[in-house]
Amino acid sequence: MFQAWLGLGANLGDPVAQLERAFAQIAALPETRLIARSSLYRSDPVGPAGQPDYCNAVCQLETALSPEALLDAVLAIEVDNGRVRDGIRWAARLLDIDLLHVDGIIRDTKHLSLPHPHLHERNWVAVPLAEIAPQLVIPGIGAISALAERLGRAGLRRWAV
């Protein structure tokens, strides 16, 4: 069994409902148990101008799925929830799920990079991760609590539900 952490985000439609539905689908994956999930956070959009704010969260899983199988499963959840990959980087989206880290595993392939190559740049990932796993240490990045503190909370606030 592996410990894995996912980042979720949405800024089209009903972002809160989409994240809730995605959490339920993640929890239903075979050989997988949802251990913890963060609060929902509102973050400023990155990318093309005029986008609505994002609703972001992270979760921790225990899974027997390989990192590649887990990534394929969460990409299928994105598609099931209306995600269309149109090639526009950081465009508005109904659902985005990133595989952030799998404990004890480093990958750098065309299909999968672990830990996530932008994790160290994103407070909308680091702050929720520090909320649910403050003792987590990620290879090449260090303690998630220190990363969250270093990145700060600019443009990030709790989502009022």
Side-chain angles (χ1 to χ4, degrees):
M1 296 292 271
F2 299 103
Q3 296 290 308
W5 289 265
L6 303 175
L8 294 82
N11 73 337
L12 294 177
D14 183 346
V16 171
Q18 283 144 219
L19 263 58
E20 293 297 339
R21 185 171 39 256
F23 279 129
Q25 290 174 295
I26 290 164
L29 289 174
E31 302 179 90
T32 300
R33 186 168 62 97
L34 182 63
I35 303 279
R37 54 178 272 190
S38 72
S39 302
L40 301 178
Y41 289 83
R42 181 181 297 270
S43 66
D44 295 338
V46 174
Q51 294 186 54
D53 288 348
Y54 269 85
C55 181
N56 297 102
V58 300
C59 65
Q60 178 181 357
L61 309 174
E62 184 175 79
T63 184
L65 299 176
S66 71
E68 291 78 9
L70 180 58
L71 178 62
D72 289 343
V74 298
L75 293 177
I77 291 171
E78 285 183 351
V79 169
D80 186 56
N81 284 277
R83 171 78 186 264
V84 176
R85 292 187 182 272
D86 56 11
I88 300 172
R89 195 166 174 105
W90 297 309
R93 56 197 63 170
L94 288 166
L95 182 63
D96 183 44
I97 306 174
D98 290 328
L99 179 51
L100 302 172
H101 177 61
V102 178
D103 210 19
I105 297 180
I106 296 175
R107 290 275 197 285
D108 191 13
T109 68
K110 184 178 179 188
H111 185 62
L112 177 62
S113 292
L114 287 173
H116 190 283
H118 299 289
L119 190 156
H120 68 283
E121 303 167 345
R122 299 174 171 173
N123 70 348
W124 68 88
V125 172
V127 169
L129 262 178
E131 176 188 325
I132 65 168
Q135 303 304 317
L136 179 63
V137 176
I138 299 176
I141 293 173
I144 199 65
S145 56
L147 176 64
E149 188 174 315
R150 189 168 56 254
L151 291 176
R153 292 177 173 257
L156 185 68
R157 55 235 169 258
R158 292 277 177 107
W159 189 283
V161 189

